């Protein structure tokens, strides 16, 4: 079924989840993603799928944990303050190893912050905001189409690795209406979820299953000791880093300067790159699509080739840390940060002109 | 010698062993609560369609030595959320129970518990109440009674500074979505039998799709109460029951 | 008159005394000289004669340490 619709990035999440045969949504109101919750409320029950508005984000993530442990495809959506509330249970999910998708529509932070946009949860999402050293795959859409597509990839990767996957959106990607082609993406088939809980009578041999997040005291079949769990996580992380990096590149070959940006900043940076090219400046760009695992190698390669690096992100510098990790001090690196927003109250954004001015100081 | 005798009572059929040794403290009644639940599950023939959600409590050991699908320890206080999600996404004949301590259910878990009851969620919450945070060594809990000494109320709980204990069974009974709420104890064979009856009635409310069901079980915690086990049972009968009366607080067939 | 046999597993018994407390026939007591490897005095079936296999000790035991059997009559079927 192919359909062209005009919807915002938030609603695109809903259609993408539907295409991925998602079974349940559990969520709570928070701006700027309320129309995600409302979309699921309108579209899921009539399709015999589960929609529940929970009593808090802490509740949402625990509903997600329950639904995931039952082997279903489940999703929640929130914004930055709600994301903070989810950390303890994300840590449990990281230990128990059950798949689920969390959509984070970033807004300005910290604290109550703004109800608009921001890119200030990057570090928390990619390094793991909760305790214990788990890692979540983080996908960063920059358009409504990509939001629709990446949600489907998120469900697939979650099931493939028995891991939480974060879809890292922001208030601008979420609320900007664009043309979206609704389509069901195909992925490699995955084994059945033999580990899922459903009542032992539903298995042929009537054996029971247990799930735990406390292998220090209680062994599970998959991880019969705490050390076994650490080993499993380590191997899983290495495999994800090796096989799941995704990114887009633009005009890299003859570039003197490479922009690095994700989400709404990537749209800004792309516009600045086009304007620069029109002026004869040789600008290119790398756009991470997975921010964990981060595309260190392609960024490092550019730095090794002597290209200057300009990071654009609506924060004080979080993805910057990953770019610095990739580049070391091989080349000159600058940041256009949230301090360059055009307006001091919550509606301020980074404009392409600001990025262009910065580029001129670097390669003109 | 073994040929001429018949087993009358012994280890419950649903109890299994884990490869690592797990034991409760001397006289701890989590084991007895688990037995009451296992016997109830067998009486109602629920073991094949049951999921046991264990909270953060010593009693979650029982989840792992039960021959049923189980998960635990789930994040502190949140067992009703996890159970509710499972109930919503799985086949309707799946029976979900939570097993939580008092510190888990009515401190951090208050949101989860009250909301599940208000939603009339078709799950059964079993809260084992030993009036302290037992797992961590005996600190004051919302259920610690006035005058009771704990490691964080060494002078005895005083209402001025520490306020008053929470009666979970009555609290839950006051919510419209609750179909059944009761409190039992395990201080005598008669009380053990009554508690089993409460558990079965609670499970039946779930099976019959009526509403939320809740059973609170008063339980001995000898090392943290600082009394010999048999003294603990007497303390429950003579002291704890004054704050937490036994009986059924709500029992309806329609909400 | 039913005769009962009570088997107490000394590896599981933690000597809490509930079985002793609730036995209506006073057939059980805490041993004065039988210890577990943890140094706990265990319960023992000290007086089998009055035991009628009511099974209350099994129910009250929180550590699953007890099994109760009925003894069949000699020469019966």
């Amino acid at each position: 079924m192919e359909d062209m619709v005009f919807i915002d990035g938030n609603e695109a999440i809903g259609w993408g989840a539907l295409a991925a045969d998602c079974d349940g949504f559990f969520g709570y109101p928070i701006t700027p993603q309320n129309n995600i919750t409302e979309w699921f409320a309108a579209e899921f029950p009539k399709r015999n799928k589960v929609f529940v508005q929970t009593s808090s984000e802490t509740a949402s993530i625990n509903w997600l944990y329950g639904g995931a442990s039952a082997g279903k495809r489940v999703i929640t959506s929130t914004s930055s303050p709600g994301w903070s509330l989810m950390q303890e249970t994300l840590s449990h999910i990281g230990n128990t190893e059950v798949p689920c998708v969390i959509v984070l529509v970033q807004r300005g932070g910290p604290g109550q912050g703004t109800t608009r946009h921001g890119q200030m949860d990057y570090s928390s999402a990619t390094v793991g905001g909760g305790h214990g050293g788990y890692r979540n795959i983080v996908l960063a859409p920059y358009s409504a189409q990509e939001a629709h597509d990446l949600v489907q990839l998120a469900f697939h990767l979650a099931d493939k690795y028995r891991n939480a996957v974060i879809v890292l959106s922001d208030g601008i990607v979420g609320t900007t209406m664009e043309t979206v082609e609704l389509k069901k993406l195909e992925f490699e088939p995955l084994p059945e979820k033999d580990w899922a809980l459903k009542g032992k009578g539903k298995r042929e041999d009537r054996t029971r299953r247990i799930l735990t997040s406390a292998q220090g005291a209680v062994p599970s079949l998959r991880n019969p000791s705490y050390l076994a769990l650490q080993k499993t996580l380590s191997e899983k992380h290495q495999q994800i880093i090796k096989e799941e990096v995704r990114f887009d590149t633009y005009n890299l070959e003859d570039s003197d300067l490479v922009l690095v940006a994700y989400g709404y900043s990537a749209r800004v940076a792309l516009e600045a790159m086009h304007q620069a090219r029109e002026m004869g400046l040789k600008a290119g760009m790398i756009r991470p699509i997975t921010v964990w695992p981060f595309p260190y190698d392609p960024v490092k390669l550019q730095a090794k080739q002597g290209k200057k690096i300009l990071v654009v992100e609506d924060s004080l510098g979080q993805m910057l840390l990953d770019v610095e990790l990739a580049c070391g001090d091989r080349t000159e690196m600058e940041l256009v940060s949230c301090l360059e927003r055009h307006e001091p109250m919550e509606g301020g954004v980074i404009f392409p002109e600001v990025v262009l001015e910065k580029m001129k100081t670097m390669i003109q | 010698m073994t040929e001429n005798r018949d087993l009358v009572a012994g280890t419950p059929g649903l109890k299994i062993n884990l490869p690592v040794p797990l034991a409760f403290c001397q006289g701890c009644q989590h084991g007895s609560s688990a037995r009451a639940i296992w016997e109830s599950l067998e009486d109602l023939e629920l073991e094949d369609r049951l999921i046991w959600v264990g909270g953060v409590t010593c009693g979650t050991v029982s989840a792992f030595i039960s021959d049923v699908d189980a998960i635990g320890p789930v994040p502190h206080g949140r067992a009703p959320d996890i159970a509710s999600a499972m109930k919503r996404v799985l086949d309707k004949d799946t029976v979900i129970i939570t097993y939580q301590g008092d510190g888990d259910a009515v401190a951090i878990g208050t949101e989860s518990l009250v909301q599940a009851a208000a939603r009339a969620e078709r799950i059964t919450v079993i809260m084992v109440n030993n009036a302290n945070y037992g797992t961590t060594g005996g600190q004051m809990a919302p259920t610690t009674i006035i005058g009771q000494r704990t490691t964080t109320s060494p002078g005895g709980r005083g209402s001025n500074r520490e306020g008053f204990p929470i009666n979970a069974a009555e609290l839950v009974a006051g919510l419209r979505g609750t179909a059944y709420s009761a409190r039992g104890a395990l201080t005598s064979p008669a009380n053990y039998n009554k508690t089993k009856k409460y558990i079965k009635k609670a499970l039946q409310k779930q099976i019959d799709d009526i509403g939320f069901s809740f059973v609170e079980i008063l339980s001995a915690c000898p090392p943290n109460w600082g009394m010999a086990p048999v003294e603990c049972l007497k303390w429950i009968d003579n002291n704890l029951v004054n704050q937490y009366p036994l009986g059924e607080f709500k029992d309806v067939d329609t909400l | 008159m039913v005769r009962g046999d009570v088997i107490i597993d000394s590896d599981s018994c933690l000597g809490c005394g509930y079985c002793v407390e609730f036995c209506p026939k006073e057939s059980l007591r805490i041993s004065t000289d039988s210890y577990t490897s943890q140094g706990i005095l265990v319960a023992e079936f000290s007086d089998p004669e009055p035991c009628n296999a009511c099974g209350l000790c099994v129910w009250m035991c929180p550590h699953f340490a007890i099994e109760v059997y009925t003894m069949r009559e000699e020469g019966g079927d």
Side-chain angles (χ1 to χ4, degrees):
Chain A
M1 174 206 70
E2 281 180 19
D3 247 315
M4 296 297 286
V5 294
F6 188 61
I7 56 176
D8 66 19
N10 282 342
E11 194 178 330
I13 297 278
W15 294 108
L18 191 64
D21 296 318
C22 170
D23 299 302
F25 172 91
F26 316 108
Y28 185 78
I30 183 169
T31 312
Q33 59 84 60
N34 289 313
N35 61 327
I36 297 182
T37 311
E38 289 159 356
W39 183 93
F40 282 98
E43 300 294 337
F44 258 31
K46 67 192 189 198
R47 290 176 167 82
N48 264 329
K49 293 173 179 291
V50 179
F51 164 82
V52 177
Q53 179 181 315
T54 62
S55 49
S56 68
E57 290 90 345
T58 321
S60 296
I61 190 66
N62 281 284
W63 279 73
L64 210 69
Y65 186 28
S69 300
K72 304 295 178 182
R73 284 198 156 184
V74 286
I75 186 172
T76 187
S77 174
T78 190
S79 185
S80 314
W83 163 255
S84 285
L85 288 176
M86 296 182 172
Q87 300 311 304
E88 182 199 19
T89 299
L90 278 170
S91 179
H92 280 254
I93 288 169
N95 178 321
T96 311
E97 296 190 271
V98 290
C100 53
V101 176
I102 297 96
V103 178
L104 169 53
V105 184
Q106 300 172 93
R107 64 192 234 176
Q112 198 66 11
T114 77
T115 54
R116 308 280 292 270
H117 50 275
Q119 293 186 307
M120 303 175 189
D121 307 327
Y122 177 101
S123 293
S124 172
T126 56
V127 185
H131 62 284
Y134 61 95
R135 305 307 286 257
N136 292 328
I137 299 173
V138 184
L139 309 174
Y142 81 137
S143 68
Q145 180 70 59
E146 201 170 50
H148 166 272
D149 297 347
L150 288 181
V151 151
Q152 297 182 56
L153 175 64
F155 278 108
H156 173 76
L157 292 179
D159 283 351
K160 179 175 174 184
Y161 291 101
R162 285 183 62 170
N163 217 75
V165 177
I166 317 297
V167 176
L168 188 65
S169 178
D170 60 66
I172 287 181
V173 170
T175 59
T176 303
M177 293 185 77
E178 300 185 274
T179 323
V180 175
E181 184 191 2
L182 300 184
K183 57 185 192 284
K184 186 183 175 75
L185 301 177
E186 295 302 324
F187 300 97
E188 47 171 344
L190 292 171
E192 246 191 67
K193 296 178 181 175
D194 179 66
W195 47 265
L197 304 185
K198 56 188 176 183
K200 69 180 186 187
K202 297 220 157 64
R203 297 182 193 98
E204 257 190 59
D205 58 0
R206 280 185 77 239
T207 53
R208 65 96 181 242
R209 299 286 180 272
I210 56 173
L211 290 172
T212 184
S213 68
Q215 289 85 351
V218 179
S220 64
L221 262 183
R222 175 170 163 94
N223 295 309
S225 73
Y226 181 57
L227 217 51
L229 166 77
Q230 293 295 334
K231 194 154 175 290
T232 300
L233 292 181
S234 174
E235 285 168 2
K236 175 158 75 170
H237 298 161
Q238 294 313 314
Q239 189 188 351
I240 294 171
I241 288 170
K242 201 160 122 217
E243 297 178 18
E244 305 297 346
V245 173
R246 288 167 173 79
F247 56 96
D248 249 346
T249 60
Y250 313 79
N251 294 329
L252 282 186
E253 273 194 21
D254 66 336
S255 57
D256 296 325
L257 176 145
V258 174
L259 295 149
V260 186
Y262 78 97
Y264 103 78
S265 298
R267 306 288 286 269
V268 170
L270 272 174
E271 174 61 25
M273 181 192 77
H274 289 309
Q275 289 181 17
R277 283 276 170 180
E278 269 163 31
M279 290 175 55
L281 296 177
K282 299 218 186 103
M285 180 160 142
I286 292 178
R287 182 176 72 83
I289 297 174
T290 56
V291 289
W292 196 86
F294 188 80
Y296 292 111
D297 288 341
V299 174
K300 189 198 293 193
L301 184 62
Q302 298 304 310
K304 269 183 166 174
Q305 291 171 357
K307 324 280 181 86
K308 301 195 182 183
I309 306 285
L310 178 57
V311 177
V312 182
E313 59 171 332
D314 194 12
S315 75
L316 292 175
Q318 295 185 15
M319 187 182 64
L320 177 73
L321 300 174
D322 275 329
V323 177
E324 281 178 345
L325 202 58
C327 300
D329 49 12
R330 286 186 183 88
T331 185
E332 183 187 325
M333 193 183 321
E334 299 280 348
L335 167 72
V336 173
S337 77
C338 60
L339 296 176
E340 313 303 326
R341 283 175 164 214
H342 82 292
E343 198 226 64
M345 295 306 277
E346 66 173 3
V349 297
I350 300 170
F351 268 70
E353 286 70 19
V354 164
V355 179
L356 184 61
E357 286 312 303
K358 191 71 181 179
M359 277 197 276
K360 283 191 209 166
T361 69
M362 291 171 80
I363 55 172
Q364 202 164 46
Chain B
M1 185 55 176
T2 48
E3 303 86 47
N4 62 344
R5 58 184 197 162
D6 301 305
L7 184 67
V8 166
T11 304
L14 286 178
K15 180 182 177 299
I16 57 181
N17 289 321
L18 275 181
V20 296
L22 287 166
F24 296 113
C25 299
Q26 181 197 58
C28 163
Q29 292 192 296
H30 275 300
S32 300
S33 301
R35 173 185 282 274
I37 296 171
W38 288 329
E39 289 176 352
S40 302
L41 294 178
E42 281 187 316
D43 289 349
L44 296 175
E45 295 181 343
L46 293 178
E47 64 265 33
D48 271 6
R49 50 189 176 117
L50 187 95
I51 300 181
W52 182 312
V53 180
V56 175
T57 161
C58 296
T60 284
V61 160
S62 302
F64 296 97
I65 56 175
S66 306
D67 193 12
V68 295
D69 276 7
I71 180 171
V74 297
H76 210 12
R78 295 288 160 181
D81 290 326
I82 283 119
S84 298
M86 289 179 168
K87 187 75 184 187
R88 299 284 184 125
V89 299
L90 288 170
D91 291 344
K92 286 297 154 259
D93 65 347
T94 316
V95 174
I96 321 272
I97 64 172
T98 78
Y99 185 109
Q100 306 173 245
D102 50 289
D104 186 278
V106 289
I108 190 172
T110 319
E111 175 196 357
S112 195
L113 175 65
V114 165
Q115 294 294 325
R119 273 194 320 273
E121 201 72 54
R122 276 40 164 185
I123 60 174
T124 302
V125 170
I126 295 169
M127 182 186 99
V128 174
N129 181 1
N130 54 21
N132 79 123
Y133 281 102
T135 315
T136 42
Q139 294 80 25
M140 189 184 84
T143 45
T144 300
I145 63 176
I146 302 292
Q148 185 183 343
R149 290 181 200 276
T150 67
T151 61
T152 50
S153 60
R157 179 175 192 158
S159 58
N160 272 349
R161 223 181 26 219
E162 283 101 25
F164 301 91
I166 295 178
N167 282 46
E170 290 89 329
L171 177 72
V172 166
L175 293 163
R176 175 136 181 222
T178 299
Y180 186 80
S181 178
R183 178 183 292 115
L186 302 167
T187 51
S188 66
N191 274 339
Y192 180 92
N193 268 330
K194 281 210 199 96
T195 300
K196 260 189 74 176
K197 194 180 79 172
Y198 298 158
I199 293 171
K200 287 204 271 194
K201 284 177 85 167
L203 290 167
Q204 199 61 47
K205 298 295 180 193
Q206 184 180 160
I207 295 165
D208 294 341
D209 193 28
I210 297 173
F212 179 79
S213 52
F214 179 83
V215 179
E216 179 178 336
I217 305 176
L218 300 181
S219 180
C221 187
N224 291 323
W225 290 357
M227 291 184 270
V230 172
E231 299 311 307
C232 289
L233 300 189
K234 298 201 194 335
W235 189 77
I236 292 176
D237 281 340
N238 299 329
N239 292 75
L240 212 50
V241 161
N242 294 336
Q243 175 65 44
Y244 302 116
L246 306 182
E248 296 169 301
F249 300 94
K250 190 172 184 194
D251 180 4
V252 299
D253 289 322
T254 54
L255 294 180
Chain C
M1 155 70 186
V2 176
R3 291 266 326 280
D5 189 21
V6 175
I7 310 292
I8 298 176
D9 173 15
S10 57
D11 283 335
S12 303
C13 173
L14 292 181
C16 68
Y18 293 162
C19 56
V20 175
E21 176 76 7
F22 292 106
C23 173
K25 301 294 185 188
E26 293 179 356
S27 290
L28 302 165
R29 65 164 195 180
I30 297 292
S31 169
T32 49
D33 55 10
S34 181
Y35 293 89
T36 67
S37 57
Q38 309 291 310
I40 297 169
L41 285 167
V42 294
E44 56 188 16
F45 190 37
S46 49
D47 189 6
E49 175 62 36
C51 171
N52 66 353
C54 71
L56 289 182
C57 52
V58 173
W59 289 343
M60 299 314 293
C61 171
H63 304 301
F64 313 109
I66 305 180
E67 285 180 336
V68 167
Y69 296 83
T70 49
M71 310 298 293
R72 292 189 219 129
E73 290 282 318
E74 295 280 318
D77 49 37

